[in-house]
Amino acid sequence: MHFGPRSATSERTKDLFTETSLCSGQPNTNVPWTGTPTLVKEVANGSLYTVGEDDDLIYVLHVYGTPYDMGYAHGTLLKDSASHVMTSFYNEIVTEYEQNLNFLPKDVADLIARLGVDGALDLTYLLTEPFTPAYFYEEMRGLADASGIDYILLRRVHMIPELIKAGCSMLGAWGTATADPLGMLQVRALDFDMTASLQDAPTVVVYHPDEGNVFANVGWAGWIASISGMSSKRIAMSEKHADIEFGVESRAGIPFHFLMRDVIQFDNSLEDAIWRIQEAHRTCSIWLGVGDGNMKAFRLFEYSYSTCEILDDKNITMINETRFNREGCNDTCYHNYAMSDLVYWGVNLGCWNELLHDTHGTISPAGLIQLLSVVQTGNLQSVVYDLAGLKMYVSNARAVNETGPDNAYDRKYVELDMSQLFQVPKPSLVQGRRL
């Protein structure tokens, strides 16, 4: 099989995909959108653009200054969208998890049964706040003040990932694995509930902070933590929940999605990120992925309060075999799992393994877009990072009033030239007018 641009062999490629025993999807052959961002509005510390077309529009929001300034610009420019998304997401989570305790991890279910969802989220805040830099809450305060969103609701929404982790996939490829031997590619595929309105306002927030790197958060209107993102230093983040705990967990520490943001805002290299993650007051069990487009390297982390194991293409099979089995990787997959200059982890590993063996040495952004749709991972959000080329390819699930496929991995991606977006200057405005 070959993942790449659509060609005369595309029909044959589709036939090969259907013959792959462990894969059930079809390749996404939509050509990514590559236009120029359209300016919507400017304020003193921010500017709002749209990218994409038709039902695949995405907001690109630039914010500048202090944490409060950036939050205030966010809340001003995306007031209605942020209010809708944050309120709808919060209400959906409260209803869903109070009614479905049997489907939650036992410790989370017990906590919600005792305190309710609000109480569990407030307790999470109290336990993590001593380890969380104050600028996160300063930014939330600015966002709340400008948008009218209740600050406590906004704070609670940002505690949700610490209670409920999402099923996801990630990949890092470089060197002998990629079509461009000087390339560095990374995947972040987010599999999560698509009934909670997040996809109604997909937003890439490009931060130009007073302190730290310029960086981009791939998320939704009103969201300030990092689930997906990359920096001007060519550092990118991926994440997946862990079905089985890594050693000991804790409720007291920095929320992992705040730590992910700190990596892309403040770290200049993979080595910096490793140090930060090792030294952090960690909390729950997750998998983290960090890629470095300058070093041409990717590391997978087994992450919990008591554990911080670092994995690469040489030691990836040190992961307990039971974890491979739970993700659909049988004995044949496990014993043929490792490949040079390639690290991957996620759902349906057997399918990943078959496809990556066939495409090793030819992996490209277009090929990864096709791979994700065949594996069927990234239903809510799908991101391909070209760290060497400073580009991102982003797709989001279908919103309620949109047409087309439901899942992000089947929809049209938007190509973002991050080298340009990272250099967009702050608006020069006096009383709402450009100088």
Side-chain angles (χ1 to χ4, degrees):
M1 293 171 226
H2 174 70
F3 291 94
R6 191 168 185 171
S7 67
T9 63
S10 62
E11 292 305 317
R12 178 174 175 274
T13 302
K14 289 181 182 179
D15 291 339
L16 288 171
F17 283 132
T18 62
E19 295 169 3
T20 302
S21 59
L22 298 175
C23 302
S24 56
Q26 292 292 321
N28 180 346
T29 56
N30 293 307
V31 177
W33 179 91
T34 57
T36 301
T38 299
L39 179 64
V40 177
K41 186 178 180 181
E42 294 179 320
V43 294
N45 289 299
S47 54
L48 178 65
Y49 295 78
T50 59
V51 293
E53 60 188 356
D54 301 326
D55 286 341
D56 294 297
L57 283 176
I58 298 174
Y59 290 123
V60 173
L61 173 68
H62 292 269
V63 293
Y64 304 79
T66 67
Y68 184 89
D69 289 341
M70 294 189 293
Y72 199 90
H74 187 159
T76 301
L77 290 166
L78 284 172
K79 178 177 180 177
D80 293 339
S81 294
S83 180
H84 163 69
V85 169
M86 293 294 101
T87 302
S88 298
F89 180 45
Y90 170 76
N91 290 337
E92 174 66 22
I93 289 295
V94 170
T95 300
E96 181 175 345
Y97 291 114
E98 286 187 341
Q99 293 178 355
N100 297 281
L101 292 180
N102 291 338
F103 296 97
L104 301 175
K106 186 178 185 307
D107 62 329
V108 175
D110 290 345
L111 190 62
I112 292 174
R114 290 200 323 269
L115 302 175
V117 175
D118 284 355
L121 295 172
D122 289 343
L123 178 60
T124 300
Y125 163 72
L126 291 172
L127 291 172
T128 59
E129 189 271 338
F131 304 95
T132 303
Y135 45 76
F136 286 105
Y137 297 110
E138 292 169 11
E139 185 176 339
M140 283 186 215
R141 182 67 71 180
L143 203 165
D145 287 350
S147 66
I149 301 172
D150 179 72
Y151 170 74
I152 300 301
L153 182 147
L154 194 60
R155 194 185 71 193
R156 285 172 176 165
V157 167
H158 281 83
M159 294 297 106
I160 289 172
E162 277 291 299
L163 290 183
I164 310 296
K165 277 74 73 177
C168 307
S169 299
M170 67 181 82
L171 172 147
W174 64 96
T176 62
T178 55
D180 178 0
L182 299 180
M184 176 65 223
L185 302 175
Q186 185 171 334
V187 161
R188 196 282 190 258
L190 173 59
D191 296 303
F192 192 65
D193 186 352
M194 297 200 302
T195 67
S197 300
L198 289 174
Q199 65 267 36
D200 289 352
T203 304
V204 175
V205 182
V206 183
Y207 284 86
H208 306 258
D210 285 349
E211 297 183 10
N213 306 317
V214 179
F215 66 99
N217 248 1
V218 185
W220 313 277
W223 181 255
I224 73 161
S226 290
I227 293 294
S228 313
M230 70 178 291
S231 76
S232 56
K233 300 296 184 180
R234 303 176 195 266
I235 302 296
M237 297 296 299
S238 305
E239 178 269 340
K240 183 191 184 310
H241 85 292
D243 288 335
I244 308 171
E245 294 177 1
F246 299 123
V248 178
E249 295 189 306
S250 173
R251 292 285 174 204
I254 182 170
F256 72 85
H257 44 301
F258 290 178
L259 178 68
M260 289 173 67
R261 175 168 156 175
D262 275 352
V263 167
I264 55 176
Q265 181 170 354
F266 295 109
D267 293 341
N268 297 322
S269 67
L270 177 59
E271 293 177 346
D272 290 348
I274 289 172
W275 181 87
R276 181 181 299 279
I277 294 167
Q278 287 177 325
E279 295 299 312
H281 293 274
R282 299 179 299 275
T283 54
C284 55
S285 295
I286 59 168
W287 302 91
L288 278 185
V290 183
D292 185 330
N294 293 315
M295 288 181 61
K296 309 295 192 295
F298 178 91
R299 297 293 182 268
L300 174 67
F301 295 78
E302 291 185 348
Y303 175 110
S304 75
Y305 171 74
S306 65
T307 302
C308 186
E309 295 292 337
I310 305 171
L311 302 158
D312 58 20
D313 57 324
K314 305 297 191 300
N315 67 351
I316 186 72
T317 52
M318 289 177 58
I319 297 170
N320 188 294
E321 191 170 354
T322 300
R323 297 184 186 273
F324 283 93
N325 296 154
R326 288 177 68 94
E327 300 293 356
C329 183
N330 59 22
D331 288 346
T332 300
C333 166
Y334 175 73
H335 291 294
N336 294 279
Y337 191 81
M339 287 173 254
S340 63
D341 299 342
L342 181 65
V343 177
Y344 59 106
W345 190 253
V347 301
N348 201 2
L349 286 180
C351 176
W352 277 99
N353 182 253
E354 286 188 356
L355 299 177
L356 289 169
H357 270 289
D358 286 341
T359 58
H360 189 274
T362 65
I363 296 172
S364 66
L368 289 172
I369 287 171
Q370 293 187 31
L371 182 148
L372 289 164
S373 62
V374 176
V375 177
Q376 294 191 310
T377 183
N379 69 339
L380 181 62
Q381 179 195 91
S382 183
V383 184
V384 174
Y385 308 102
D386 179 352
L387 293 176
L390 269 180
K391 292 184 177 180
M392 280 199 308
Y393 300 82
V394 180
S395 180
N396 285 271
R398 182 178 66 83
V400 64
N401 293 319
E402 292 177 345
T403 60
D406 289 338
N407 298 300
Y409 54 72
D410 284 328
R411 297 184 67 86
K412 189 181 187 74
Y413 284 68
V414 169
E415 179 186 299
L416 298 173
D417 185 340
M418 303 311 297
S419 63
Q420 293 185 10
L421 294 182
F422 287 146
Q423 297 182 53
V424 171
K426 180 179 178 180
S428 300
L429 300 176
V430 175
Q431 294 182 344
R433 296 183 179 183
R434 178 170 287 279
L435 292 176

